[in-house]
Amino acid sequence: MSNSKHIHVVIFGIGNVGSTLIQQINMAQSNLQLKHQLQIEIPIITNSKLAFYNENGIENSWLIDFEKFSEPYRIEDIIQFIKAKKFKNVIAIDATASVDFVQNYVPLIENGFHIVSANKVANTLSYDFYEALRQSLRKHNKSFLYETNVGAGLPIIETIKNLYNSGEHIAKIRGVFSGSLSYIFNEYSESDVSFSKVLSQASKLGLTEPDAREDLSGNDVARKLLILARELNLKTEFQQVKIESLVPKKLNGKTNVQQFNARVKELDLPFQKRKTALSKNQVLRYVGELDVVKQTLEVKLIIEQKQSPIGQLKGADSIFEIFTESYGEKPFVIQGAGAGKAVTARGLFSDIIKLSNNLN
């Protein structure tokens, strides 16, 4: 045990993904010690307002302990606790979806934290913020890993980085980037069920956000597309992504979630018209497309041939087609589960291990 490498992980956000990550880490401890001589301890867990501290690492009773002993916190309290304990190799995990929390990244980096994040916000704010964050990482010799930002547990960002850094010319990236919208259009294209019923099924399966308009707006797909564009050194802003929203204007704006759900059948007719226009060998797919040559980013609903890789998609899988010079006309394809708490948590865990391997 004395020869083990110790990693201290602070988990911000203990919802579906964060709590699943805690479970995965706890279950893997003996295997990590046996195969990697690695010990991962979690001295702090937080939700948006409260933090629970245990310098020896949380135990399987962490949920009960959090309910009993958590206390209000500021980010300064977390930093002070870590410094007082003189922990080394500290990784902050952002398992939130918070716009505000990413403002803590730079203070954390400046105080010795590496960052692993499932939160897309930091990589999709203004390019000035994006670059300032990376300058801080370089200055303080810290790492920021975010593989789960685009493909949940799929190695999309790592693949793109490796191709780009090796000098490969990437011409285009296109695909179905959203697990929820993948399920919706895979089901809708193949069944006689109304669009509103398919949307309801997706919601019951936990595939959509509580407000399904967050999925249907296309903004999440656009953020993923923007992240990939920036990995290829395109200085692009979110406003430059052309997005075809699937939500009519009359159901946006001041309409709340309950009102939207009450009127969701208003989506049936316009989607039925698009479905009726399909031939036997065609399906609807909601795709993101980055044309690197033209430097255009587009999110749109398209008609696709059933026999194509995108047309053959099933369930809630995502698919990414990467067109490069070396691969020619046939794209390099990555496909698999693109959503879900288990695969996203596993992606975070993978980033933790990857980062740990580079620490002393």
Side-chain angles (χ1 to χ4, degrees):
M1 188 71 77
S2 59
N3 293 326
S4 296
K5 182 190 294 184
H6 285 252
I7 305 295
H8 292 91
V9 172
V10 178
I11 299 180
F12 295 93
I14 50 173
N16 286 336
V17 173
S19 59
T20 304
L21 175 61
I22 293 170
Q23 181 183 18
Q24 289 178 356
I25 291 173
N26 285 342
M27 289 179 66
Q29 290 290 13
S30 58
N31 187 55
L32 291 172
Q33 178 62 41
L34 184 65
K35 291 187 175 180
H36 304 284
Q37 289 75 53
L38 179 64
Q39 187 172 356
I40 298 178
E41 294 173 355
I42 310 172
I44 308 172
I45 55 175
T46 85
N47 61 18
S48 59
K49 296 178 180 177
L50 303 172
F52 170 65
Y53 304 83
N54 185 337
E55 63 179 284
N56 298 316
I58 63 167
E59 300 173 346
N60 290 330
S61 60
W62 66 267
L63 189 55
I64 296 170
D65 293 336
F66 186 87
E67 290 173 356
K68 285 185 178 179
F69 305 115
S70 61
E71 56 191 75
Y73 81 96
R74 300 169 305 152
I75 202 69
E76 294 84 359
D77 301 325
I78 304 293
I79 291 169
Q80 186 178 358
F81 181 89
I82 294 297
K83 283 189 170 181
K85 301 302 176 185
K86 297 182 178 178
F87 289 149
K88 294 181 178 179
N89 296 334
V90 185
I91 305 173
I93 309 295
D94 182 0
T96 77
S98 169
V99 174
D100 297 327
F101 185 77
V102 301
Q103 301 301 327
N104 296 317
Y105 282 16
V106 170
L108 287 167
I109 292 163
E110 290 173 345
N111 285 279
F113 289 73
H114 300 276
I115 310 284
V116 168
S117 179
N119 187 349
K120 302 177 191 69
V121 173
N123 285 324
T124 55
L125 292 175
S126 71
Y127 193 81
D128 287 344
F129 178 90
Y130 182 88
E131 186 53 37
L133 176 58
R134 279 149 181 81
Q135 286 176 1
S136 181
L137 290 163
R138 289 191 291 269
K139 180 180 177 182
H140 298 280
N141 196 26
K142 297 301 171 189
S143 296
F144 173 34
L145 300 185
Y146 44 88
E147 185 62 70
T148 54
N149 275 200
V150 174
L154 299 175
I156 307 303
I157 291 173
E158 182 178 18
T159 301
I160 296 295
K161 275 184 175 178
N162 288 343
L163 287 169
Y164 181 73
N165 291 336
S166 68
E168 179 64 83
H169 173 66
I170 298 173
K172 184 188 291 185
I173 302 171
R174 72 189 290 264
V176 175
F177 293 8
S178 164
S180 57
L181 292 170
S182 176
Y183 174 85
I184 288 166
F185 285 105
N186 294 345
E187 290 293 311
Y188 184 63
S189 293
E190 297 292 341
S191 69
D192 292 326
V193 180
S194 68
F195 186 83
S196 59
K197 283 189 177 178
V198 173
L199 188 61
S200 176
Q201 289 170 11
S203 177
K204 286 175 183 174
L205 290 169
L207 294 173
T208 67
E209 296 294 333
D211 185 346
R213 289 174 296 182
E214 292 184 31
D215 300 288
L216 297 174
S217 70
N219 288 339
D220 185 61
V221 176
R223 290 188 190 99
K224 293 176 180 180
L225 202 60
L226 178 64
I227 290 167
L228 293 180
R230 288 177 170 178
E231 291 299 320
L232 298 176
N233 206 29
L234 298 181
K235 296 176 175 58
T236 316
E237 301 288 0
F238 183 80
Q239 294 77 12
Q240 293 172 260
V241 186
K242 185 178 178 183
I243 306 170
E244 178 185 355
S245 173
L246 302 179
V247 185
K249 288 183 180 178
K250 62 183 178 180
L251 294 180
N252 260 331
K254 295 181 180 178
T255 309
N256 62 34
V257 182
Q258 290 74 24
Q259 290 169 327
F260 171 74
N261 290 338
R263 297 175 59 185
V264 72
K265 288 186 178 180
E266 293 178 31
L267 294 172
D268 289 344
L269 183 57
F271 280 107
Q272 184 59 44
K273 286 180 179 177
R274 299 183 84 153
K275 187 174 177 179
T276 303
L278 298 175
S279 73
K280 269 189 176 181
N281 295 318
Q282 293 178 329
V283 288
L284 293 170
R285 295 292 184 261
Y286 194 67
V287 302
E289 183 172 299
L290 164 63
D291 189 314
V292 182
V293 179
K294 296 178 182 176
Q295 296 195 12
T296 57
L297 296 85
E298 193 170 359
V299 177
K300 55 191 174 182
L301 186 63
I302 64 167
I303 295 172
E304 187 76 10
Q305 297 300 312
K306 277 186 180 179
Q307 64 269 28
S308 74
I310 287 177
Q312 291 177 13
L313 209 56
K314 303 293 182 185
D317 275 8
S318 291
I319 186 169
F320 299 81
E321 295 184 326
I322 305 165
F323 295 82
T324 76
E325 190 172 38
S326 297
Y327 282 86
E329 292 183 8
K330 289 188 176 181
F332 180 82
V333 177
I334 299 175
Q335 180 180 342
K341 62 183 182 181
V343 292
T344 303
R346 187 63 66 186
L348 286 173
F349 199 176
S350 177
D351 273 350
I352 293 169
I353 300 301
K354 194 187 306 178
L355 179 50
S356 301
N357 288 336
N358 294 323
L359 299 177
N360 295 322

